[in-house]
Amino acid sequence: MKRSAPTNAPAPAPKRTRKMLTIAEKVVLLDKLKEGRSYAAVGRLYGINESSVRYIKKEENNIRRTAAITFNKDAKRLATARNKTIVRMESALALWISYCRKNNITLDSNVIRTKAKVLYETFADSAEQDDAEPRPKTSTLNAAQNPFHASVSLHGKAAEAEAYVNNKFKAIIEEGGYKPEQVFNMDETGLFWKRMPSRTFIMQDGAQDPGFKAQKDRVTLVMCGNAAGFMIKPGLIYRSKNPRALKNKNKNALPVYWMHDTKAWMTRVLSLDWFKQCFIPEVKRYLRRKGLDFKVLLLLHNARGHAEDLSYDGVQIELLPPNTTSLIQPLDQGFIRLFKAVYTRNTLQHLVDALGSDQDFSLKVYWSEYTIASCLQNIQKAIQEIKTETLNVCWKKLWPEAVHNPPGSSLDEIYQSAVDTAVNLAKQLGGDGFDDMTPDDMNALIDAHSQSLTDEDLAEMTMPPSEDEGEEEEQGTSIKVEEDGLTLDSLTTLVRMANELERAAQEWDPLMCRSLEFTNIIEGAMSVYKNLLAEKKKTCQPRTVFIGKESPVLVEIDSRAEWTKEEEAQSEEE
């Protein structure tokens, strides 16, 4: 006879939920292990077993390879078992769809399917395919659109934008009591920082050089300004972390907020980094200077590359309706295009200045030495040259009540003035493509930053990363970097050269008032380095060391340096 089960048997324990980390989280986990943290400590941080951490470490190569070629960093499984060309095609397709959404380009399932097939054929022809790897069926390519199809909006209507401005946006401003200084708009844009019109000889010769890559000169700029016309420090995404041109440079003291991605593309991780480390501190400082409360409205366009968990006490995030960015987003109302025109003009001015100061000037050689450091200088100069009134007037379509004091010239007139100046500068440089430069050539160059991504562009942006010959390993902390570049000797040389420059102006210029004005400017500019030199000298005071019993010798010893025990013993014996 079977016994019945006891009625008071304990309920079974709930099944433990298995935690799955995303590819992006696994990459960060591996970086923490690389920093020297223990498996147990990292496991506690992520709430997983130590054995799971060890397994992730074992799969490090596959994880990093997948992260490099997969656009969807929220994926949780590795792509190593799939056709590599399919994975690359999906990454390129996602980039292309995201770009089309931002630029209000109409898409449907047939367009996406066709683009997927074209991209696959492009990548399959250029890659060395494994004979054992079967060619995917057409149905597989047709299905490639499914992960992205739901996020594609087909139309953007002016009526939708108008309704948003008159109803929702106005209600947000009134309910929040926001002032123009507290309402910001962020947008990212591509910048070909080292590109000239295609007809110029330096571009044609450069395209024939071995290893030339169309996207190698592309960065992503993250621009953010408020309705009062104030721009915070722009963010910049470069393809490598430590380019040689920025060796010995403190990344925290650059004119941009420095970020890196192997494709120089905005990702969710980078958008969160920019928000926490750049936007929040910059806006806090600005509002503190203005005597305003930290109550901020941040407007973003709805893009795949933006993090979904942007949050901070006192900050309200508002996503603009899809397909309306070109209609109502302030930075898209001519500001970004004007910035690119001013940047191009400043780049040409940089070359013309070199032409006038160097008797052995070679445009091709000088252009090859135009580095990302030169780019940062021109970015900062372009931002500073654009007046606050110019940015303020760009809010007219979204928030007309916030616009005040419009600039004397229209935005189109300011843009055209920058283009005309750039054309004249190009003609001063001379050479094929520069002598006969026209405004149309310059407009084509400026608009190239915003043109639709070509298959070549997508191929370059989804290329698995290789070791970058222009990248340097970081050496120590930012303080150590500063010391390596500005030593006591280098500062002394810098001050001496400034003094010689002042004496030369006073000796050669027949107009004393002009030379004195120049001297005052140099003195003011050099004060920061003279103060730094004085501080260095205090830490490197000379000491008296006794050689023998009666022979004191004055020698220069770094006061921060410590003698070893052997040196101290030897000194005592002497």
Side-chain angles (χ1 to χ4, degrees), residues 56-236:
I56 292 174
K57 176 62 177 176
K58 182 180 177 181
E59 293 293 319
E60 179 172 7
N61 291 337
N62 289 336
I63 291 171
R64 293 191 183 277
R65 189 181 303 113
T66 300
I69 64 176
T70 303
F71 179 81
N72 183 15
K73 297 297 190 298
D74 292 333
K76 297 183 178 181
R77 298 189 181 277
L78 302 183
T80 53
R82 302 182 61 205
N83 183 297
K84 294 180 181 178
T85 306
I86 282 285
V87 174
R88 187 180 176 194
M89 178 273 293
E90 289 178 347
S91 298
L93 188 65
L95 289 171
W96 178 75
I97 290 175
S98 178
Y99 177 87
C100 290
R101 288 186 62 208
K102 182 178 182 299
N103 290 276
N104 301 327
I105 299 175
T106 301
L107 298 175
D108 58 30
S109 58
N110 291 327
V111 173
I112 298 172
R113 187 182 299 112
T114 301
K115 187 66 173 181
K117 292 178 180 179
V118 171
L119 288 173
Y120 179 82
E121 294 296 336
T122 300
F123 297 157
D125 291 341
S126 61
E128 295 181 2
Q129 295 295 314
D130 189 344
D131 294 336
E133 187 176 34
R135 193 178 186 85
K137 298 178 181 179
T138 303
S139 58
T140 305
L141 292 176
N142 291 342
Q145 58 154 321
N146 292 338
F148 317 106
H149 180 64
S151 66
V152 177
S153 184
L154 303 181
H155 297 90
K157 298 181 179 179
E160 181 182 358
E162 185 178 356
Y164 175 82
V165 171
N166 295 330
N167 299 319
K168 186 176 181 180
F169 180 75
K170 183 175 290 187
I172 291 174
I173 295 297
E174 292 175 355
E175 292 174 7
Y178 292 109
K179 297 182 178 180
E181 291 85 358
Q182 297 170 318
V183 182
F184 288 79
N185 173 221
M186 184 274 267
D187 191 20
E188 65 268 9
T189 182
L191 176 69
F192 294 102
W193 62 273
K194 194 173 182 179
R195 180 172 292 192
M196 284 288 149
S198 56
R199 292 195 303 109
T200 58
F201 70 91
I202 55 176
M203 289 301 295
Q204 293 180 353
D205 293 348
Q208 298 173 2
D209 292 340
F212 173 80
K213 295 182 178 181
Q215 285 290 333
K216 198 170 184 179
D217 61 350
R218 183 187 184 278
V219 298
T220 294
L221 273 178
V222 183
M223 311 191 82
C224 184
N226 66 11
F230 170 74
M231 283 288 295
I232 73 170
K233 176 191 287 190
L236 185 139

Side-chain angles (χ1 to χ4, degrees), residues 126-386:
S126 61
E128 295 181 2
Q129 295 295 314
D130 189 344
D131 294 336
E133 187 176 34
R135 193 178 186 85
K137 298 178 181 179
T138 303
S139 58
T140 305
L141 292 176
N142 291 342
Q145 58 154 321
N146 292 338
F148 317 106
H149 180 64
S151 66
V152 177
S153 184
L154 303 181
H155 297 90
K157 298 181 179 179
E160 181 182 358
E162 185 178 356
Y164 175 82
V165 171
N166 295 330
N167 299 319
K168 186 176 181 180
F169 180 75
K170 183 175 290 187
I172 291 174
I173 295 297
E174 292 175 355
E175 292 174 7
Y178 292 109
K179 297 182 178 180
E181 291 85 358
Q182 297 170 318
V183 182
F184 288 79
N185 173 221
M186 184 274 267
D187 191 20
E188 65 268 9
T189 182
L191 176 69
F192 294 102
W193 62 273
K194 194 173 182 179
R195 180 172 292 192
M196 284 288 149
S198 56
R199 292 195 303 109
T200 58
F201 70 91
I202 55 176
M203 289 301 295
Q204 293 180 353
D205 293 348
Q208 298 173 2
D209 292 340
F212 173 80
K213 295 182 178 181
Q215 285 290 333
K216 198 170 184 179
D217 61 350
R218 183 187 184 278
V219 298
T220 294
L221 273 178
V222 183
M223 311 191 82
C224 184
N226 66 11
F230 170 74
M231 283 288 295
I232 73 170
K233 176 191 287 190
L236 185 139
I237 306 174
Y238 190 60
R239 59 189 172 85
S240 67
K241 184 178 181 180
N242 300 301
R244 282 182 181 164
L246 298 182
K247 184 180 179 181
N248 294 332
K249 300 298 182 185
N250 185 347
K251 297 293 194 303
N252 296 324
L254 296 176
V256 299
Y257 180 70
W258 185 266
M259 297 174 283
H260 72 281
D261 177 74
T262 53
K263 309 298 181 290
W265 198 259
M266 173 62 88
T267 65
R268 295 183 180 183
V269 173
L270 291 181
S271 68
L272 182 61
D273 178 40
W274 171 85
F275 178 74
K276 296 285 189 181
Q277 305 301 327
C278 180
F279 177 76
I280 296 299
E282 285 274 323
V283 173
K284 278 187 174 181
R285 284 192 291 269
Y286 168 75
L287 293 178
R288 193 181 302 119
R289 291 197 305 268
K290 292 292 184 179
L292 297 173
D293 295 333
F294 185 73
K295 181 177 63 174
V296 178
L297 174 64
L298 176 59
L299 304 173
L300 304 172
H301 64 83
N302 199 344
R304 176 180 291 270
H306 291 166
E308 298 176 355
D309 56 346
L310 295 181
S311 63
Y312 195 85
D313 188 24
V315 179
Q316 179 180 351
I317 305 295
E318 172 67 15
L319 297 180
L320 296 173
N323 303 302
T324 63
T325 56
S326 64
L327 301 174
I328 60 175
Q329 179 166 237
L331 290 177
D332 271 344
Q333 305 310 307
F335 181 85
I336 290 179
R337 191 165 188 253
L338 173 61
F339 163 80
K340 292 175 180 178
V342 176
Y343 173 86
T344 303
R345 183 197 67 194
N346 290 346
T347 302
L348 288 166
Q349 184 67 62
H350 184 83
L351 297 174
V352 171
D353 291 344
L355 173 64
S357 60
D358 187 355
Q359 294 180 349
D360 300 324
F361 177 81
S362 168
L363 179 57
K364 187 175 181 181
V365 172
Y366 200 85
W367 186 241
S368 67
E369 297 173 353
Y370 184 86
T371 65
I372 188 66
S374 311
C375 164
L376 299 188
Q377 295 174 8
N378 281 335
I379 287 175
Q380 182 189 42
K381 188 176 180 182
I383 292 290
Q384 293 174 343
E385 289 180 4
I386 300 178

Side-chain angles (χ1 to χ4, degrees), residues 22 116 135 156 210 363 406 442 479 483 547 563:
T22 65
R135 193 178 186 85
L363 179 57
M442 203 59 63
I479 296 176
E483 289 175 352
I547 307 300
W563 284 12

Side-chain angles (χ1 to χ4, degrees), residues 490-501 503 526:
S490 61
L491 282 169
T492 303
T493 302
L494 196 61
V495 172
R496 177 178 53 78
M497 293 173 66
N499 292 336
E500 292 176 355
L501 188 61
R503 285 195 295 269
M526 286 299 298

